[in-house]
Amino acid sequence: MPVLDIKSTGESLPTPAADRTALVTGASSGIGAALSRELSRRGHQVVLVARRAEKLEELATELRAAGGRAHVLGADLSDRSARATLLDRVGELGLTLDILVNNAGLSTLGPVAASDPDAEMNMIEVDVMAVADLCSRALPGMVQRRRGAVLDVASTAAFQPLPGQAAYAAGKAFVLSYTESLTGELKGTGVTATALCPGPVDTGFGETAGFAKEDAEAALPSFMWESPESVARTGIDGLDKGHMIAIPGLANRAASVFAHLAPNKLLVPVLASRHPGLRT
């Protein structure tokens, strides 16, 4: 598996239109909000999806004030029945889904031996199951129309095991492999798929998972950190160019190559020693 794929399929993002939309999950904050802003800035109508509808309304108001078109659909992506109705709800708005952005995600923290099974399964439902579910529902229509694009947000954690966030890294490895496979299946259909693999981003994600920002910054050098805005630009640029993988920041691209090539028997102990979730 090539870690850095810069080849283009020759396809680009669908042209914005009044009856077409991009759907962004996990749009209430962080990378999801930045991706929504970037798509809106480029003229795409957006449907914002997350559990916190009130936060989505704030973003929708901001985008409309800037001349964009935005809609809010509150939904819990861990709920399979809620996911099953999502595309129908988009249709009820009179819109065709042209761009799917699977951004919603979360992480647990700490050793599996001390984990909460319910929390682990909830994470896998959002990080893994929701991606496959929504792609399975959205892609048939895109392929039939011969127009569409899918951006699945993975992580540089997809390139190696990560003691302290074992299920999170494994889930992101699924997203990366799944999206790479989609690029092969979709060749010649007019539909593209890109995996966005950010490194550390200051979004509050780590604090939600359970470790302090100071601990995260101590574990990862400052030159690896990227802003949500730069991550969003990299992701949408990669999607527009038909890239298989988009990794924001030169340092993260280099680290991903190293992680892919380094023997796990050497890499894993180092990662375990530095992860804040495994400190006693």
Side-chain angles (χ1 to χ4, degrees), residues 12 16 22 51 76 78 83 130 192 203 233 252 254:
S12 60
R51 288 184 305 162
D76 182 353
S78 69
R83 296 198 305 258
T192 65
T203 62
R233 284 193 298 273
N252 288 306

Side-chain angles (χ1 to χ4, degrees), residues 4-277:
L4 297 181
D5 187 291
I6 59 172
K7 295 181 292 183
S8 172
T9 63
E11 307 289 350
S12 60
L13 280 173
T15 303
D19 61 346
R20 303 178 184 178
T21 193
L23 183 149
V24 183
T25 69
S28 58
S29 63
I31 294 172
L35 285 165
S36 301
R37 292 186 180 101
E38 185 67 19
L39 285 163
S40 184
R41 185 184 68 80
R42 298 184 190 211
H44 295 279
Q45 188 165 195
V46 291
V47 172
L48 311 173
V49 178
R51 288 184 305 162
R52 297 180 291 173
E54 69 281 357
K55 292 291 292 183
L56 295 177
E57 289 291 356
E58 293 176 13
L59 178 58
T61 299
E62 173 195 323
L63 297 179
R64 292 168 191 145
R69 294 163 294 172
H71 308 268
V72 168
L73 294 181
D76 182 353
L77 272 297
S78 69
D79 184 335
R80 296 186 183 189
S81 61
R83 296 198 305 258
T85 64
L86 200 51
L87 266 64
D88 289 338
R89 294 170 68 189
V90 172
E92 289 167 2
L93 295 171
L95 301 174
T96 299
L97 181 60
D98 262 7
I99 301 171
L100 171 63
V101 179
N102 283 308
N103 167 75
L106 65 150
S107 180
T108 55
L109 182 71
V112 174
S115 64
D116 175 351
D118 289 338
E120 294 290 292
M121 294 307 102
N122 179 72
M123 176 182 61
I124 292 170
E125 193 72 48
V126 174
D127 291 9
V128 176
M129 301 294 287
V131 172
D133 190 349
L134 293 181
C135 284
S136 296
R137 296 178 189 279
L139 282 172
M142 291 182 179
V143 170
Q144 184 178 26
R145 293 186 294 273
R146 300 193 62 81
R147 184 186 74 235
V150 175
L151 181 67
D152 292 329
V153 180
S155 167
T156 53
F159 297 112
Q160 78 276 308
L162 188 57
Q165 289 176 280
Y168 173 77
K172 292 305 183 182
F174 170 88
V175 173
L176 175 59
S177 176
Y178 181 79
T179 310
E180 288 179 311
S181 295
L182 288 181
T183 65
E185 295 179 1
L186 294 170
K187 185 176 181 180
T189 66
V191 183
T192 65
T194 298
L196 173 58
C197 298
V201 185
D202 187 8
T203 62
F205 178 87
E207 290 91 325
T208 302
F211 53 87
K213 180 179 177 181
E214 294 76 13
D215 289 336
E217 291 176 344
L220 296 163
S222 59
F223 59 81
M224 296 185 71
W225 289 77
E226 296 285 331
S227 69
E229 292 73 24
S230 67
V231 170
R233 284 193 298 273
T234 298
I236 303 305
D237 283 345
L239 192 62
D240 192 32
K241 295 173 183 177
H243 288 180
M244 182 185 293
I245 303 170
I247 303 176
L250 180 60
N252 288 306
R253 291 194 288 274
S256 297
V257 172
F258 173 78
H260 181 62
L261 297 176
N264 282 343
K265 65 179 181 180
L266 301 178
L267 184 62
V268 168
V270 174
L271 294 171
S273 69
R274 294 184 58 83
H275 199 287

